[in-house]
């Protein structure tokens, strides 16, 4: 039965990603909003719902390490796996606004994560703690980043000059977005639950399950929606989804969790934090390789190789 449920979850994920992408494109065309902004906000926050649920429940149960580990693992998966796969399908172009504003915000968010966890990394006898004040500050930074992006989008010339030939009705557009998100989240939960059950029956260790299936499973909505967006010729939505999800994971999800219940994470070492910062820096650096503003296929291969090396190191230590 687990295999049937696994297949059902995968079908829901793919269907949800398809409708979410179509609804998001229709929304961007209707209001002449850049697709990247839609991906950065609506799609990113919606597909980050599994991370929010897992981290919030873990925080309430006093498992701060699970809450932070889920965010860290998801962010690494988002950049190295999702963008790596998307770049292999089609190079992802980067706009001047991405380079000047959006990607630097992603780098800043990863540095904020390092700052709040620096105590434990520098001195293992002094456990790190993300308190309510830090959580509120992170939430304010998230609101500021979204407000800045929305304000800039109103000033900039939108990428979509021509509205859709046959515009979708507003109610149908909303249904596609909400229904697509619901199918993604629900399908992701079914897939993750049954994948973990199958792995345990096959004798896979809990550590391997946590590192691979939990982090990757909660990122399934981002993976599915990003790949479908690229296949449909909307790499801007895919890029915005990943960048927005990573920012939301750190500033919104950890900020919200630590505001409700202060987090005391453990087991987050300097290499893992360094990998988070490296992922955002490499994505930013992709804009300056070979004088081409794009994440190219060879960079996608590099991202996948880095993630594989990180998993090998994590399992071997």
């Amino acid at each position: 039965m687990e295999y049937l449920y696994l297949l059902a979850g995968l079908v829901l994920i793919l269907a949800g990603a398809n409708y979410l992408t179509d609804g998001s494109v229709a929304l961007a065309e209707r209001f002449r909003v850049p697709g990247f902004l839609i991906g950065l906000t609506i799609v990113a926050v919606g597909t980050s719902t599994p991370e929010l649920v897992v981290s919030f429940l873990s925080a309430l149960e006093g498992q701060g390490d699970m809450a932070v580990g889920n965010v860290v693992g998801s962010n690494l998966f988002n950049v190295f796996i999702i963008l790596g796969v998307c770049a292999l399908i089609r190079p992802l172009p980067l706009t001047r606004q991405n380079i000047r504003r959006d990607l630097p915000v992603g780098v800043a968010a990863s540095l904020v994560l390092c700052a709040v966890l620096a105590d434990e990394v520098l001195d293992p006898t002094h456990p790190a703690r993300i308190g309510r004040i830090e959580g509120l500050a992170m939430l304010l930074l998230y609101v500021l980043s979204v407000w800045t992006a929305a304000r800039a989008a109103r000033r900039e010339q939108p990428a979509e000059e021509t509205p859709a030939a046959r515009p979708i009705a507003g109610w149908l557009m909303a249904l596609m977005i909400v229904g697509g998100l619901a199918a993604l989240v629900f399908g992701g939960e079914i897939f993750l639950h049954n994948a973990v059950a199958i792995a345990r029956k096959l004798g896979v260790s809990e550590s391997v399950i946590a590192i691979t299936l939990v982090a990757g499973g909660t990122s399934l909505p981002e993976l599915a929606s990003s790949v479908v967006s690229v296949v449909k010729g909307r790499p801007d939505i895919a890029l915005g989804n990943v960048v927005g999800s990573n920012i939301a994971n750190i500033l919104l999800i950890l900020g919200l969790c630590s505001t409700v219940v202060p987090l005391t994470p453990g087991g987050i070492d300097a290499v893992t934090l360094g990998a988070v910062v490296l992922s955002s820096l490499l994505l930013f650096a992709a804009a300056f390789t070979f004088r081409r503003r794009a994440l190219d296929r060879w960079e996608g291969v590099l991202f996948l190789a880095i993630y594989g090396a990180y998993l090998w190191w994590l399992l071997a230590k």
Side-chain angles (χ1 to χ4, degrees), residues 23-96:
S24 300
V25 171
L27 180 65
E29 292 175 339
R30 169 69 65 87
F31 296 102
R32 294 180 177 269
V33 176
F36 182 87
L37 181 61
I38 298 296
L40 186 71
T41 53
I42 297 175
V43 179
V45 174
T47 55
S48 289
T49 303
E51 287 92 336
L52 174 60
V53 172
V54 171
S55 295
F56 189 74
L57 292 179
S58 298
L60 290 179
E61 294 174 1
Q63 298 177 332
D65 52 345
M66 178 64 74
V68 177
N70 178 46
V71 165
V72 169
S74 294
N75 278 24
L76 292 176
F77 188 91
N78 286 350
V79 174
F80 291 133
I81 295 296
I82 296 179
L83 288 187
V85 170
C86 288
L88 287 179
I89 298 173
R90 178 178 299 178
L92 305 177
L94 301 170
T95 66
R96 180 176 298 179

Side-chain angles (χ1 to χ4, degrees), residues 43-308:
V43 179
V45 174
T47 55
S48 289
T49 303
E51 287 92 336
L52 174 60
V53 172
V54 171
S55 295
F56 189 74
L57 292 179
S58 298
L60 290 179
E61 294 174 1
Q63 298 177 332
D65 52 345
M66 178 64 74
V68 177
N70 178 46
V71 165
V72 169
S74 294
N75 278 24
L76 292 176
F77 188 91
N78 286 350
V79 174
F80 291 133
I81 295 296
I82 296 179
L83 288 187
V85 170
C86 288
L88 287 179
I89 298 173
R90 178 178 299 178
L92 305 177
L94 301 170
T95 66
R96 180 176 298 179
Q97 289 73 30
N98 297 154
I99 299 168
R100 295 177 59 184
R101 183 190 63 233
D102 305 309
L103 297 183
V105 172
V107 175
S110 65
L111 292 176
V112 167
L113 179 64
C114 289
V116 296
L117 297 178
D119 291 345
E120 186 168 8
V121 172
L122 297 175
D123 183 5
T125 63
H126 187 189
R129 184 175 185 270
I130 308 177
R132 288 189 171 91
I133 294 178
E134 293 168 311
L136 286 173
M138 293 165 76
L139 288 175
L140 288 175
L141 287 174
Y142 180 74
V143 172
L144 179 61
S145 68
V146 173
W147 177 79
T148 302
R151 185 183 178 197
R154 288 197 299 266
R155 295 197 310 264
E156 295 159 2
Q157 183 70 18
E160 295 81 14
E161 293 291 344
T162 305
R166 302 178 64 181
I168 299 175
W171 68 268
L172 181 57
M173 182 172 58
L175 181 63
M176 291 172 69
I177 293 175
V178 175
L181 282 173
L184 274 173
V185 174
F186 186 57
E189 287 295 312
I190 294 176
F191 185 92
L192 176 60
H193 176 77
N194 288 279
V196 170
I198 292 171
R200 284 174 176 159
K201 286 184 177 180
L202 295 177
V204 179
S205 69
E206 293 291 327
S207 61
V208 174
I209 291 173
I211 292 168
T212 57
L213 292 178
V214 174
T218 56
S219 292
L220 277 177
E222 286 95 336
L223 175 61
S225 60
S226 295
V227 170
V228 170
S229 296
V230 171
V231 171
K232 287 177 175 284
R234 295 307 302 263
D236 53 340
I237 293 180
L239 182 63
N241 180 21
V242 169
V243 174
S245 293
N246 279 12
I247 295 172
N249 284 348
I250 295 174
L251 299 181
L252 176 61
I253 294 178
L254 287 185
L256 179 63
C257 291
S258 58
T259 300
V260 177
V261 181
L263 300 177
T264 306
I268 306 298
D269 53 35
V271 173
T272 298
L273 286 180
V276 174
V277 176
L278 177 65
S279 66
S280 58
L281 288 175
L282 285 177
L283 181 55
F284 180 71
F288 306 99
T289 54
F290 297 108
R291 298 183 180 179
R292 177 177 172 176
R293 294 175 180 169
L295 183 64
D296 297 305
R297 286 189 173 90
W298 74 267
E299 290 166 320
V301 173
L302 176 63
F303 279 16
L304 293 173
I306 290 175
Y307 189 79

